[in-house]
């Protein structure tokens, strides 16, 4: 089990560049999502799982921090660290890094396991839970990321 899981290399595409000349904020989420797809495949919850078992993952909440601009032609990888889970949810932390190693963005998300017949939140089947528990055990050796658990707010200095 990779610790943390790291995606294949992805390249910033021309249509993703906004009028400010850098990667539009929406496409950071595309890159994080592509990494999630690879990690979910590893956990047995990819496209085949959704098609054949009618079970899938829905995102419930995401917190993205934009650290450094990405530009056309940049190549990046994203990591996937399973911070926590229960019988129906995954809490995941991700980092988007340029292939040269610098941090471009972070993402923390809460995902729900969903029975598509409802759709309704449902417990992981035992075979999938075993995979989730194996990843969590492997990732338990990683430190809690500094940016995990952040809240949005405006800090006020005392008068």
């Amino acid at each position: 089990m990779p610790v943390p899981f790291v995606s294949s290399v992805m390249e910033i595409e021309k249509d993703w560049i906004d009028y400010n000349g850098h990667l539009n904020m929406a496409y950071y989420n595309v890159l994080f999502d592509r990494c999630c797809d690879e990690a979910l495949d590893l956990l047995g919850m990819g496209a085949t799982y959704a098609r054949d078992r009618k079970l899938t993952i829905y995102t419930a909440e995401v917190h993205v921090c934009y650290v450094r601009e990405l530009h056309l032609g940049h190549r990046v990888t994203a990591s996937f660290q399973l911070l926590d889970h229960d019988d129906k949810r995954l809490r995941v932390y991700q980092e988007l890094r340029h292939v040269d190693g610098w941090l471009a963005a972070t993402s923390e998300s809460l995902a729900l396991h969903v029975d598509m017949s409802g759709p309704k939140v449902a417990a992981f089947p035992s075979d999938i839970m075993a995979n989730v528990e194996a990843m969590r055990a492997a990732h338990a050796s990683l430190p809690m990321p500094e940016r995990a658990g952040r809240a949005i707010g405006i800090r006020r200095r005392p008068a």
Side-chain angles (χ1 to χ4, degrees):
M1 190 69 65
V3 180
F5 174 84
V6 177
S7 73
S8 57
V9 175
M10 303 172 279
E11 189 166 336
I12 306 307
E13 299 180 16
K14 181 180 182 254
D15 291 341
W16 298 355
I17 303 301
D18 65 20
Y19 57 80
N20 294 311
H22 59 226
L23 183 65
N24 179 276
M25 63 182 277
Y27 294 99
Y28 285 82
N29 285 308
V30 169
L31 294 164
F32 284 126
D33 192 51
R34 287 181 177 178
C35 173
C36 281
D37 285 345
E38 291 181 28
L40 290 173
D41 278 340
L42 181 67
L43 290 169
M45 291 186 280
T48 302
Y49 180 70
R51 184 190 69 230
D52 295 348
R53 295 175 76 173
K54 306 298 184 228
L55 299 168
T56 194
I57 293 291
Y58 282 11
T59 301
E61 184 174 346
V62 178
H63 186 153
V64 177
C65 294
Y66 303 95
V67 178
R68 187 167 168 187
E69 292 181 1
L70 289 169
H71 296 95
L72 182 62
H74 279 176
R75 294 165 33 95
V76 299
T77 60
S79 62
F80 180 102
Q81 180 180 346
L82 184 57
L83 296 178
D84 198 5
H85 74 281
D86 63 15
D87 65 331
K88 299 176 185 177
R89 299 175 296 183
L90 303 174
R91 179 181 170 209
V92 174
Y93 175 80
Q94 295 182 270
E95 292 185 344
L96 188 63
R97 291 190 174 273
H98 188 276
V99 292
D100 289 344
W102 50 265
L103 182 66
T106 64
S107 176
E108 185 175 2
S109 60
L110 182 67
L112 307 174
H113 185 256
V114 173
D115 178 337
M116 296 165 67
S117 69
K120 60 185 174 202
V121 178
F124 295 107
S126 60
D127 60 321
I128 298 300
M129 181 56 92
N131 296 342
V132 169
E133 288 173 344
M135 180 178 275
R136 179 64 192 120
H139 290 190
S141 65
L142 295 168
M144 179 61 72
E146 180 183 329
R147 290 182 176 267
R150 290 173 54 125
I152 295 174
I154 298 174
R155 292 187 188 150
R156 306 272 186 217
R157 294 181 188 201

